[in-house]
Amino acid sequence: MRVFITRGIPQEGIDILISGGVEVDVFPHDRQPTKEEIIEGVRDADALISLLTDSIDAEVIDAGKNLKVIGNYAVGYNNIDVDYARKKGIVVVNTPGVLTDATADLTMALILAASRRVLEGDRFVREGKFRGWEPMLLLGLELNGAVLGIIGAGRIGQAVARRARAFGMKILYYSRTRKLEFESEINAEFADLDTLLGRSDIISVHVPLTAETRHLLGRREFEIVKPGAIIVNTSRGEVIDESALIDALKSGRVSAAALDVFYNEPYVNPELLSMRNVVLTPHIGSATRKTRVNMARMVCSDVLRVLRGEEPLNRVV
Ligand code: DGY
């Protein structure tokens, strides 16, 4: 049995495959493989471990004549044509749960950075502008008593809400289904999307990217957000219509944004780069050593299970 991994991942995961008697072939370069290189790697492979940056479409899947399983080293799997994999009887697994805390922590970091203007302050000091304490310098939004609107109350959305409660925030959430336990646990209030947009001081997005969630926040939505709202996105860039967000930032309707994900990564719109009230991080929601090791263990164990004919723990299809 042979597994092709499109990029080096923590050895702790690879060791699981090796001790399971599987031959592991890791893409040898420190860059994203091209589509041709993925196709080359997947030929003769029994399993593929991909990253969210790899487009695993029908052509790639067809190239893997012996392919039995695709393991995505991510919780989001919008990069894989799962319908086609299902049609071909190929199992797809992902890494849910293990990255919840890391992603929720980064979301709080972004909420704090945007609301308290941390990066603006940092730049201000570095540019030699600090002349001493001033009554009106870099005034921001106080989290205690502010309303956080969580869009998507899955694992990560709920984990963010718990953290935000500890800061004294009031939680509104919008989700396909109501989560009654979550509501009573942290006194969260369910709202339809428009109500949430109109009432939230900070809006944080936690939905997977699907046909339904693409541009969930677009021009219409930015017209009804509470004036001065802050937008935070640690899910997928395409959930937000980026040019509509940029216009809302320019008009001041949105006062700040903190983005860990972008519309067409790794491209970042130069207008975002030039805005001082925008905090930008390079898709590092799950980037803690502990989480990345756990993701590697999780995806490799599940791939091994499928190769042994067992049922995986985190089957997507
Ligand atoms: C995921 O797993 O989908 C995250 O975006 C990775 O950080």
Side-chain angles (χ1 to χ4, degrees), residues 52 73-76 95 99 103 234-236 283-286 292 295:
L52 58 91
Y73 185 63
V75 65
T95 63
L99 45 73
T103 308
T234 52
S235 62
R236 287 292 182 269
H283 204 149
I284 52 169
S286 64
R292 291 286 165 84
M295 288 166 67

Side-chain angles (χ1 to χ4, degrees), residues 67-69 83-91 315:
L67 208 53
K68 296 160 190 65
V69 52
D83 290 335
Y84 193 68
R86 182 191 289 113
K87 226 183 275 168
K88 295 207 60 172
I90 294 169
V91 176
R315 180 196 271 269

